[in-house]
Amino acid sequence: MIDKLGNIERKVNFRQPVEKVWRAITDAAQIKQWFGSDCVFEFCEGGEGYFEWEEECEGKFAMKIETINEPHYFAWRWMLKEDIPFDKTQSTLVEWHLSKTDEGTLLRLTESGFVDAKHVEMNIQGWDQELADLQAFVN
Amino acid sequence: MDIFTALADPTRRHILEKLNREGALSIKRLTADLPISRQALTKHLNRLIKAKLIRADFVGKEKLHRLNPKPLQQLDNWLAPFSERWDKRLEALQTYLENDDD
């Protein structure tokens, strides 16, 4: 589901306990088993690193950890484009909320900040292109 | 102004969120919890009207602003690929945890 102002939200249930899911989403060695082809970061608040998807695209997506609240909340920001240094204003915020359920663990994942980060830039690029086209047409 | 520029401003997003929660509101009600002047608010409202994200109608003597969510579909469309990527990743996480059961 995407809410009205452009945040992504997902809820997933796991049969495993919170601690196990926590390790799978915070330990770089485990993350690369399911998330991408490579994942490197310094595990502390403010710690920086990157994600990589070798098969899907070349390049590294810079990321930075914002909050670690073991074992219920983990938040990091990452860049929408590969191979550029981390810049908060061009990043989106990914938040992982874990809670205990009768069956195991509920994960609520949100990604937000698209409007701040990408849309503005996209819009500007769009206008540059359109104005260039207009110029070419008029000339 | 297009929808992305209209949404890029936090005050304008606040206005849209408030209209989404509370329905049709007058300028007076909208300024109540915003730290900006009436003039500044009017400017933002006009921008949102130009982006077709809100509509303003007179009800008697009062001008009421309400959300027009339709153009937000553009934003949903743009976000869809980002959103779908999470489905695959979370499925992979589920599979990883199942196989790692010991």
Side-chain angles (χ1 to χ4, degrees):
Chain A
M1 186 200 84
I2 294 167
D3 79 18
K4 285 211 172 68
L5 291 178
N7 296 338
I8 292 170
E9 185 184 84
R10 288 287 186 278
K11 284 180 181 169
V12 192
N13 280 291
F14 298 95
R15 279 181 291 180
Q16 293 76 18
V18 171
E19 289 69 23
K20 189 162 179 154
V21 181
W22 173 262
R23 281 196 300 276
I25 64 166
T26 56
D27 172 7
Q30 290 198 39
I31 292 172
K32 62 180 166 193
Q33 304 291 314
W34 61 271
F35 194 66
S37 60
D38 199 11
C39 166
V40 175
F41 56 71
E42 194 191 350
F43 186 66
C44 63
E45 290 180 359
E48 295 197 27
Y50 64 83
F51 296 110
E52 200 173 4
W53 283 267
E54 258 172 8
E55 281 154 29
E56 287 174 40
C57 50
E58 284 174 35
K60 294 175 167 66
F61 291 82
M63 62 84 82
K64 185 173 186 174
I65 298 176
E66 286 222 327
T67 313
I68 302 170
N69 188 1
E70 189 174 350
H72 295 295
Y73 179 75
F74 185 43
W76 41 258
R77 291 185 163 273
W78 65 339
M79 303 299 289
L80 281 158
K81 264 197 262 167
E82 64 270 38
D83 285 341
I84 39 177
F86 183 82
D87 166 9
K88 190 174 174 177
T89 64
Q90 292 295 305
S91 69
T92 55
L93 176 67
V94 179
E95 295 171 284
W96 308 78
H97 303 261
L98 298 182
S99 52
K100 192 178 181 309
T101 61
D102 290 343
E103 290 79 34
T105 304
L106 170 69
L107 162 67
R108 186 167 69 85
L109 171 106
T110 59
E111 183 170 11
S112 57
F114 287 99
V115 167
D116 299 287
K118 184 68 184 181
H119 285 150
V120 184
E121 190 195 340
M122 215 178 68
N123 189 41
I124 292 166
Q125 284 172 353
W127 276 112
D128 286 345
Q129 189 53 51
E130 273 149 25
L131 292 176
D133 289 349
L134 174 65
Q135 229 164 9
F137 174 69
V138 172
N139 291 335
Chain B
M1 182 188 313
D2 80 1
I3 178 178
F4 299 125
T5 315
L7 288 172
D9 181 87
T11 304
R12 290 197 287 273
R13 292 209 294 277
H14 180 95
I15 293 168
L16 294 175
E17 282 159 17
K18 198 171 160 75
L19 292 175
N20 186 36
R21 274 196 314 270
E22 299 176 30
L25 295 175
S26 62
I27 289 204
K28 199 176 163 192
R29 287 278 303 280
L30 276 166
T31 19
D33 65 341
L34 275 171
I36 58 168
S37 68
R38 217 186 146 99
Q39 285 82 352
L41 179 67
T42 307
K43 232 183 213 177
H44 284 307
L45 289 173
N46 287 335
R47 289 184 171 187
L48 288 170
I49 289 169
K50 270 191 195 150
K52 298 190 174 68
L53 283 164
I54 64 171
R55 271 196 298 260
D57 306 295
F58 278 96
V59 178
K61 276 186 178 167
E62 206 176 25
K63 196 177 183 184
L64 292 180
H65 301 82
R66 70 186 86 229
L67 185 71
N68 177 36
K70 220 177 162 192
L72 290 169
Q73 187 61 46
Q74 266 182 66
L75 186 58
D76 272 7
N77 293 345
W78 185 80
L79 277 180
F82 292 95
S83 187
E84 280 154 18
R85 236 174 267 175
W86 283 114
D87 294 326
K88 275 189 222 154
R89 286 172 189 154
L90 294 173
E91 238 170 73
L93 173 59
Q94 249 166 344
T95 313
Y96 170 70
L97 285 167
E98 297 289 334
N99 294 338
D100 198 42
D101 252 341
D102 39 41

